[in-house]
Amino acid sequence: MKLHVKGTDAGGLTGSSHADLEHDDTGGEHGDLALRRIEVCRISRYERQPRSAENPAYGRLKAAIRRDGLTQPLAVTRRQGAAGYVLWGGGSTRLRILKELAAETGEPRFAVAQCLLRPWRGEAELLLSHVKENELRGPVPFVDLAVAVASLRAMLEREADAAFDERRLARRLGALGFEIDSGTIALATYVVERLSPVLPLAAQGLGRSDIESTRSLDQGARALWRDWSIDAVEEYERVFRTLTARYDGPGWALSDLRRALVEEMAVRGDRSAQTVALELQARLSRLGTDGDNR
């Protein structure tokens, strides 16, 4: 892949000559990389940025950019037919800082950034570029990873016009340079489809082991509910969602949900709470977890 150094794609930047304006993106479209200067107001952050937490180095980075300017190019791409650019593979904090400094100081050096223009390869590869970049900077919260995996699945299924099960999705993502196993994909699907809707506050703080224990508790309680014919399985779904949401918050603990499920099944099944708790514990042990993380 070749690197072409081009002029300024400055739109209406004051002081830019007509010769400096660079609107030809044929290099990028044909697979080459283009190095150019672009007004930061024409660059947007990626709307599906996988990491939701703010960069802890924000203050230090802003001070460095204020002092030295931008010392490495922003990677960008341009969607087909779009007038502006979108970040490729990270750079959200640096772009935000440049826009803030341009507004605060009025200095032209913050209004234009040196950028590496990458060819457009589609929405799935754009999202993957951000996922891989974020993983290089440290572990991504599992909930953020789960949302990204769900988005990737939807994009790839649209492109292929076919459904992807966990194994097929893992193979396709591996071919795109993102190694993830089918078990992780299945757990990510559980988070997006089952936990996040009822735990919007607590889910962000849950690690993988917390989520695995929650899923095991859910599976064990559901099987017990069904085997003891406590009520219709559809009623279990309603009870699980209601009780899970009841404890949503920063102090969410799986033990609270487990206790509430035991009490609900004891009342509905006309059994003692101790009997339900012991049977549930036995089932969780067979699943390989005590269901009581946190």
Side-chain angles (χ1 to χ4, degrees), residues 2 5 11 13 20 23 40 66 97 104 121 124 142 150 241 272 279 285:
K2 298 179 181 178
V5 180
L13 183 64
D20 287 332
H23 298 292
V40 296
R66 184 190 297 272
I97 288 171
E104 292 169 8
R121 299 298 191 198
F142 194 85
R241 290 194 299 268
S272 70
E279 180 60 26
S285 295

PDB file of all heavy atoms in Angstrom, residues 2 5 11 13 20 23 40 66 97 104 121 124 142 150 241 272 279 285:
ATOM      1  N   LYS A   2       0.688   2.144  -0.949  1.00  0.00           N
ATOM      2  CA  LYS A   2       1.521   3.329  -1.080  1.00  0.00           C
ATOM      3  C   LYS A   2       0.991   4.463  -0.216  1.00  0.00           C
ATOM      4  O   LYS A   2      -0.185   4.543   0.083  1.00  0.00           O
ATOM      5  CB  LYS A   2       1.560   3.778  -2.538  1.00  0.00           C
ATOM      6  CG  LYS A   2       2.167   2.742  -3.484  1.00  0.00           C
ATOM      7  CD  LYS A   2       2.134   3.253  -4.899  1.00  0.00           C
ATOM      8  CE  LYS A   2       2.724   2.221  -5.867  1.00  0.00           C
ATOM      9  NZ  LYS A   2       2.666   2.680  -7.263  1.00  0.00           N
ATOM     10  N   VAL A   5       1.598  11.834  -0.236  1.00  0.00           N
ATOM     11  CA  VAL A   5       1.533  13.068   0.533  1.00  0.00           C
ATOM     12  C   VAL A   5       0.836  14.108  -0.319  1.00  0.00           C
ATOM     13  O   VAL A   5       1.280  14.422  -1.420  1.00  0.00           O
ATOM     14  CB  VAL A   5       2.939  13.554   0.928  1.00  0.00           C
ATOM     15  CG1 VAL A   5       2.842  14.841   1.726  1.00  0.00           C
ATOM     16  CG2 VAL A   5       3.672  12.486   1.713  1.00  0.00           C
ATOM     17  N   GLY A  11     -11.246  22.955   3.004  1.00  0.00           N
ATOM     18  CA  GLY A  11     -12.560  23.552   2.850  1.00  0.00           C
ATOM     19  C   GLY A  11     -12.403  25.047   2.656  1.00  0.00           C
ATOM     20  O   GLY A  11     -11.777  25.508   1.724  1.00  0.00           O
ATOM     21  N   LEU A  13     -10.734  27.173   4.701  1.00  0.00           N
ATOM     22  CA  LEU A  13      -9.730  27.660   5.638  1.00  0.00           C
ATOM     23  C   LEU A  13      -9.126  28.970   5.154  1.00  0.00           C
ATOM     24  O   LEU A  13      -8.630  29.083   4.038  1.00  0.00           O
ATOM     25  CB  LEU A  13      -8.623  26.608   5.801  1.00  0.00           C
ATOM     26  CG  LEU A  13      -7.525  26.942   6.807  1.00  0.00           C
ATOM     27  CD1 LEU A  13      -8.140  27.034   8.201  1.00  0.00           C
ATOM     28  CD2 LEU A  13      -6.432  25.902   6.767  1.00  0.00           C
ATOM     29  N   ASP A  20      -3.922  24.663  -2.824  1.00  0.00           N
ATOM     30  CA  ASP A  20      -3.820  23.865  -1.605  1.00  0.00           C
ATOM     31  C   ASP A  20      -5.037  22.977  -1.392  1.00  0.00           C
ATOM     32  O   ASP A  20      -4.972  22.000  -0.659  1.00  0.00           O
ATOM     33  CB  ASP A  20      -3.674  24.773  -0.375  1.00  0.00           C
ATOM     34  CG  ASP A  20      -2.290  25.406  -0.282  1.00  0.00           C
ATOM     35  OD1 ASP A  20      -1.329  24.804  -0.784  1.00  0.00           O
ATOM     36  OD2 ASP A  20      -2.206  26.494   0.288  1.00  0.00           O
ATOM     37  N   HIS A  23      -9.350  17.855  -3.077  1.00  0.00           N
ATOM     38  CA  HIS A  23     -10.615  17.145  -2.966  1.00  0.00           C
ATOM     39  C   HIS A  23     -10.574  15.780  -3.655  1.00  0.00           C
ATOM     40  O   HIS A  23     -11.565  15.075  -3.649  1.00  0.00           O
ATOM     41  CB  HIS A  23     -11.753  17.971  -3.576  1.00  0.00           C
ATOM     42  CG  HIS A  23     -11.961  19.270  -2.871  1.00  0.00           C
ATOM     43  ND1 HIS A  23     -12.440  19.339  -1.586  1.00  0.00           N
ATOM     44  CD2 HIS A  23     -11.735  20.542  -3.274  1.00  0.00           C
ATOM     45  CE1 HIS A  23     -12.527  20.607  -1.215  1.00  0.00           C
ATOM     46  NE2 HIS A  23     -12.101  21.347  -2.218  1.00  0.00           N
ATOM     47  N   VAL A  40     -10.104  20.419  11.298  1.00  0.00           N
ATOM     48  CA  VAL A  40     -10.666  19.518  12.300  1.00  0.00           C
ATOM     49  C   VAL A  40     -12.193  19.606  12.348  1.00  0.00           C
ATOM     50  O   VAL A  40     -12.867  18.646  12.762  1.00  0.00           O
ATOM     51  CB  VAL A  40     -10.067  19.782  13.703  1.00  0.00           C
ATOM     52  CG1 VAL A  40      -8.577  19.487  13.701  1.00  0.00           C
ATOM     53  CG2 VAL A  40     -10.352  21.193  14.176  1.00  0.00           C
ATOM     54  N   ARG A  66      -1.463  21.471  23.678  1.00  0.00           N
ATOM     55  CA  ARG A  66      -1.415  22.943  23.755  1.00  0.00           C
ATOM     56  C   ARG A  66       0.027  23.437  23.619  1.00  0.00           C
ATOM     57  O   ARG A  66       0.293  24.445  22.967  1.00  0.00           O
ATOM     58  CB  ARG A  66      -1.999  23.415  25.089  1.00  0.00           C
ATOM     59  CG  ARG A  66      -2.084  24.938  25.217  1.00  0.00           C
ATOM     60  CD  ARG A  66      -2.443  25.351  26.629  1.00  0.00           C
ATOM     61  NE  ARG A  66      -3.755  24.883  27.032  1.00  0.00           N
ATOM     62  CZ  ARG A  66      -4.887  25.556  26.809  1.00  0.00           C
ATOM     63  NH1 ARG A  66      -4.845  26.723  26.178  1.00  0.00           N
ATOM     64  NH2 ARG A  66      -6.039  25.068  27.222  1.00  0.00           N
ATOM     65  N   ILE A  97      -9.709  17.437  21.780  1.00  0.00           N
ATOM     66  CA  ILE A  97      -8.809  18.460  22.318  1.00  0.00           C
ATOM     67  C   ILE A  97      -8.488  19.505  21.262  1.00  0.00           C
ATOM     68  O   ILE A  97      -8.477  20.717  21.545  1.00  0.00           O
ATOM     69  CB  ILE A  97      -7.530  17.794  22.866  1.00  0.00           C
ATOM     70  CG1 ILE A  97      -7.850  17.036  24.155  1.00  0.00           C
ATOM     71  CG2 ILE A  97      -6.434  18.828  23.097  1.00  0.00           C
ATOM     72  CD1 ILE A  97      -6.716  16.165  24.659  1.00  0.00           C
ATOM     73  N   GLU A 104     -10.886  27.773  21.930  1.00  0.00           N
ATOM     74  CA  GLU A 104     -10.392  28.543  23.074  1.00  0.00           C
ATOM     75  C   GLU A 104      -9.339  29.571  22.687  1.00  0.00           C
ATOM     76  O   GLU A 104      -9.314  30.681  23.238  1.00  0.00           O
ATOM     77  CB  GLU A 104      -9.799  27.586  24.122  1.00  0.00           C
ATOM     78  CG  GLU A 104     -10.815  26.700  24.812  1.00  0.00           C
ATOM     79  CD  GLU A 104     -10.155  25.600  25.629  1.00  0.00           C
ATOM     80  OE1 GLU A 104      -8.909  25.637  25.776  1.00  0.00           O
ATOM     81  OE2 GLU A 104     -10.878  24.704  26.117  1.00  0.00           O
ATOM     82  N   ARG A 121     -13.373   1.002   3.530  1.00  0.00           N
ATOM     83  CA  ARG A 121     -13.527  -0.453   3.398  1.00  0.00           C
ATOM     84  C   ARG A 121     -14.851  -0.956   3.957  1.00  0.00           C
ATOM     85  O   ARG A 121     -15.044  -2.166   4.049  1.00  0.00           O
ATOM     86  CB  ARG A 121     -12.382  -1.159   4.140  1.00  0.00           C
ATOM     87  CG  ARG A 121     -10.989  -0.850   3.623  1.00  0.00           C
ATOM     88  CD  ARG A 121     -10.816  -1.304   2.196  1.00  0.00           C
ATOM     89  NE  ARG A 121      -9.421  -1.239   1.789  1.00  0.00           N
ATOM     90  CZ  ARG A 121      -9.008  -1.246   0.532  1.00  0.00           C
ATOM     91  NH1 ARG A 121      -9.915  -1.305  -0.442  1.00  0.00           N
ATOM     92  NH2 ARG A 121      -7.738  -1.183   0.236  1.00  0.00           N
ATOM     93  N   ALA A 124     -18.142  -2.357   8.794  1.00  0.00           N
ATOM     94  CA  ALA A 124     -17.620  -3.392   9.690  1.00  0.00           C
ATOM     95  C   ALA A 124     -16.135  -3.188   9.954  1.00  0.00           C
ATOM     96  O   ALA A 124     -15.670  -3.266  11.096  1.00  0.00           O
ATOM     97  CB  ALA A 124     -17.883  -4.777   9.111  1.00  0.00           C
ATOM     98  N   PHE A 142     -16.133  -5.295  29.414  1.00  0.00           N
ATOM     99  CA  PHE A 142     -16.788  -6.362  28.660  1.00  0.00           C
ATOM    100  C   PHE A 142     -18.103  -5.901  28.045  1.00  0.00           C
ATOM    101  O   PHE A 142     -18.454  -6.324  26.940  1.00  0.00           O
ATOM    102  CB  PHE A 142     -17.025  -7.589  29.544  1.00  0.00           C
ATOM    103  CG  PHE A 142     -17.379  -8.812  28.741  1.00  0.00           C
ATOM    104  CD1 PHE A 142     -16.388  -9.611  28.206  1.00  0.00           C
ATOM    105  CD2 PHE A 142     -18.702  -9.142  28.485  1.00  0.00           C
ATOM    106  CE1 PHE A 142     -16.713 -10.725  27.434  1.00  0.00           C
ATOM    107  CE2 PHE A 142     -19.036 -10.248  27.721  1.00  0.00           C
ATOM    108  CZ  PHE A 142     -18.037 -11.048  27.197  1.00  0.00           C
ATOM    109  N   ALA A 150     -21.998  -7.090  18.926  1.00  0.00           N
ATOM    110  CA  ALA A 150     -23.370  -7.126  18.397  1.00  0.00           C
ATOM    111  C   ALA A 150     -23.485  -6.261  17.141  1.00  0.00           C
ATOM    112  O   ALA A 150     -24.150  -6.648  16.165  1.00  0.00           O
ATOM    113  CB  ALA A 150     -24.350  -6.643  19.459  1.00  0.00           C
ATOM    114  N   ARG A 241     -36.579 -10.509  34.784  1.00  0.00           N
ATOM    115  CA  ARG A 241     -36.344  -9.124  34.363  1.00  0.00           C
ATOM    116  C   ARG A 241     -36.713  -8.146  35.478  1.00  0.00           C
ATOM    117  O   ARG A 241     -35.981  -7.189  35.737  1.00  0.00           O
ATOM    118  CB  ARG A 241     -37.155  -8.817  33.102  1.00  0.00           C
ATOM    119  CG  ARG A 241     -36.665  -9.520  31.847  1.00  0.00           C
ATOM    120  CD  ARG A 241     -37.295  -8.917  30.593  1.00  0.00           C
ATOM    121  NE  ARG A 241     -38.745  -9.050  30.625  1.00  0.00           N
ATOM    122  CZ  ARG A 241     -39.414 -10.080  30.103  1.00  0.00           C
ATOM    123  NH1 ARG A 241     -38.757 -11.069  29.546  1.00  0.00           N
ATOM    124  NH2 ARG A 241     -40.738 -10.118  30.155  1.00  0.00           N
ATOM    125  N   SER A 272     -40.116 -24.459  50.969  1.00  0.00           N
ATOM    126  CA  SER A 272     -39.343 -23.589  51.851  1.00  0.00           C
ATOM    127  C   SER A 272     -38.207 -22.946  51.069  1.00  0.00           C
ATOM    128  O   SER A 272     -37.694 -23.515  50.090  1.00  0.00           O
ATOM    129  CB  SER A 272     -38.770 -24.397  53.023  1.00  0.00           C
ATOM    130  OG  SER A 272     -37.748 -25.266  52.570  1.00  0.00           O
ATOM    131  N   GLU A 279     -31.409 -26.724  46.277  1.00  0.00           N
ATOM    132  CA  GLU A 279     -31.525 -27.279  44.933  1.00  0.00           C
ATOM    133  C   GLU A 279     -30.866 -26.370  43.896  1.00  0.00           C
ATOM    134  O   GLU A 279     -30.191 -26.836  42.969  1.00  0.00           O
ATOM    135  CB  GLU A 279     -32.991 -27.495  44.579  1.00  0.00           C
ATOM    136  CG  GLU A 279     -33.218 -28.072  43.187  1.00  0.00           C
ATOM    137  CD  GLU A 279     -32.563 -29.427  42.974  1.00  0.00           C
ATOM    138  OE1 GLU A 279     -32.361 -30.161  43.968  1.00  0.00           O
ATOM    139  OE2 GLU A 279     -32.253 -29.751  41.810  1.00  0.00           O
ATOM    140  N   SER A 285     -23.641 -25.672  41.012  1.00  0.00           N
ATOM    141  CA  SER A 285     -22.396 -26.421  41.139  1.00  0.00           C
ATOM    142  C   SER A 285     -22.149 -27.265  39.899  1.00  0.00           C
ATOM    143  O   SER A 285     -21.015 -27.395  39.421  1.00  0.00           O
ATOM    144  CB  SER A 285     -22.440 -27.311  42.382  1.00  0.00           C
ATOM    145  OG  SER A 285     -22.510 -26.518  43.551  1.00  0.00           O
TER     146      SER A 285
END
